[in-house]
Amino acid sequence: MRDDKIQRAMPVLSALGKSVCYLALFLGMQVAVLLPFSLVAGVQAALGGNTDALYDELLANSMTYSMISGLLTLVVILAVYRFRRKPMGEALWLRRVDGPTLWTGASLAPGLYLIIGTLLMLLPKAWTESYNEASAGIDSGTLTGVLAVAVVAPVVEELIFRGLMLNRLRMVMPGWLAVALSAAVFGACHGHPVWFAYTFVIGTFFGWLDLRANSILPSILGHIAFNAVGQILSFVPETEKGTELAAAMGILLLVAIAAPILNRKGVAALFRRGPRQAALPAPNGLPAQPGTYDYDPWDE
C-alpha cells in the first residue's frame, strides 16, 4: 500500500522538482547579472569605502539589469529546448488559439489594473509609502525601463511561472491547486507583502485564463497590457489638483468597459461550460489530460 502511494506521488514530486529548477533559473539569472556589482560593493565595504554611490547607480539602472537578466533567461530556455530538439510550442505551452481567445487577457487587463489600483489606494498610508519605496525603480521613465517592464518581464514571467511551472503542475494535481501554487511562487518572487498580494491575484487570474485557453499566449498579451497600463500612467504628471490623473483614470475606465465588449466572444467563452481544446501529449509520461491524475493531495 505504501509503495502504491509512493508510486502515485512520484509524478507530483517530479513536477515539483522541475518547477524548482525553473525557479532557480529565473532567480539565478538575476543573481548572475548583479554578481559583479555585489563583488565590487563587497570589496569597497571591506576596504572601508563608501558604497552609497554604487547603490544609487544600481537603483538608477535597475530596469536595465532586469531586462538583461530576462533576456538571458529567454536565451537559456530557447537554447535548452533547441538543443533537446523539443517543439517549444508544446513544451512551453505556446499553443495557437483563435483570435478572440488570444485577446481575452489583453481585453480584461485594463479592468484588472483599475481594480487593483483602486484597492492599493485604499491601503493604510504606511503600507503605501513602503510599497512606493520598494517599487521606486520600476517607473524609470526611460525607454529601457518601459521595454523591461512592459515587454521583457511579462514574456519571461509567463514562460517561467505559467508556461513551464503551471503547465507541468496541472498534469499531476487539480487545476485550482496548480494555479494557486504557481501564483504563490510568482507573488513570493516580488518580495514586498503588498506586491505579493496583488501579484498573487494577477498570477491566479492568468493561471485560470491559461487553463481555460489551454495556452499561455492569452496571459502573455494580458500581462503585457497590464504592465503597459502602469507604464503609461507613470508618465501622467502629478499636480496639486490631480486633474491629469483623474482624466487618465477616466480614460482607463472607458477602456476597461469597452475592451471586453469589443472582445465579448472571447470573454464569454471563458465562462462557458463545455469541452475544452484537445489535450496534448504530456511530457515524461505524465497524464495526457489534466484532471486524470492518479494522485490527489486530499486522498487519505
Side-chain angles (χ1 to χ4, degrees):
M1 186 67 177
R2 184 179 177 183
D3 291 342
D4 181 57
K5 286 186 175 181
I6 293 175
Q7 186 175 4
R8 289 190 297 151
M10 285 305 296
V12 181
L13 296 177
S14 174
L16 289 172
K18 290 179 180 180
S19 296
V20 171
C21 292
Y22 303 140
L23 179 62
L25 169 64
F26 177 74
L27 297 177
M29 283 300 171
Q30 298 181 35
V31 173
V33 170
L34 294 177
L35 185 59
F37 166 84
S38 302
L39 292 176
V40 172
V43 171
Q44 282 198 2
L47 296 176
N50 189 356
T51 60
D52 290 344
L54 276 175
Y55 285 111
D56 290 341
E57 189 272 340
L58 174 63
L59 182 61
N61 297 283
S62 58
M63 289 298 96
T64 301
Y65 298 135
S66 175
M67 185 165 70
I68 293 173
S69 66
L71 291 175
L72 287 175
T73 303
L74 282 176
V75 168
V76 171
I77 292 173
L78 296 178
V80 166
Y81 283 100
R82 181 75 173 177
F83 176 76
R84 297 176 66 185
R85 296 184 179 180
K86 289 198 171 185
M88 285 178 278
E90 306 283 338
L92 300 177
W93 209 8
L94 293 167
R95 296 192 63 183
R96 292 183 179 180
V97 294
D98 58 75
T101 302
L102 179 64
W103 291 102
T104 48
S107 61
L108 294 172
L112 181 63
Y113 189 96
L114 192 62
I115 293 171
I116 291 177
T118 302
L119 293 176
L120 289 177
M121 290 168 56
L122 298 176
L123 291 175
K125 186 178 179 181
W127 292 18
T128 304
E129 291 176 350
S130 175
Y131 166 73
N132 290 337
E133 183 179 349
S135 57
I138 294 180
D139 301 328
S140 61
T142 64
L143 177 60
T144 300
V146 171
L147 291 175
V149 175
V151 180
V152 177
V155 173
V156 174
E157 289 174 355
E158 290 307 309
L159 284 176
I160 292 291
F161 295 101
R162 257 70 70 182
L164 290 171
M165 293 179 63
L166 175 58
N167 189 27
R168 275 124 187 100
L169 293 176
R170 74 188 179 108
M171 297 292 182
V172 296
M173 60 182 64
W176 65 265
L177 181 58
V179 168
L181 284 176
S182 60
V185 175
F186 177 58
C189 288
H190 287 78
H192 194 278
V194 174
W195 226 338
F196 169 82
Y198 89 71
T199 51
F200 175 79
V201 172
I202 294 170
T204 301
F205 170 74
F206 286 145
W208 170 76
L209 179 66
D210 291 339
L211 286 183
R212 294 298 299 166
N214 209 1
S215 169
I216 66 166
L217 290 178
S219 69
I220 289 177
L221 291 184
H223 202 154
I224 289 174
F226 184 92
N227 285 15
V229 170
Q231 289 298 294
I232 292 171
L233 291 178
S234 70
F235 288 100
V236 177
E238 295 183 9
T239 59
E240 248 182 75
K241 294 183 179 179
T243 52
E244 290 85 355
L245 181 59
M249 297 303 288
I251 294 172
L252 178 59
L253 177 60
L254 292 177
V255 173
I257 295 172
I261 294 175
L262 293 174
N263 190 33
R264 55 188 176 278
K265 182 179 178 181
V267 174
L270 292 176
F271 303 94
R272 187 180 302 130
R273 293 179 178 273
R276 298 182 183 179
Q277 299 182 37
L280 294 173
N284 301 323
L286 296 180
Q289 174 65 43
T292 62
Y293 44 82
D294 291 325
Y295 173 79
D296 191 304
W298 311 121
D299 278 350
E300 295 183 357

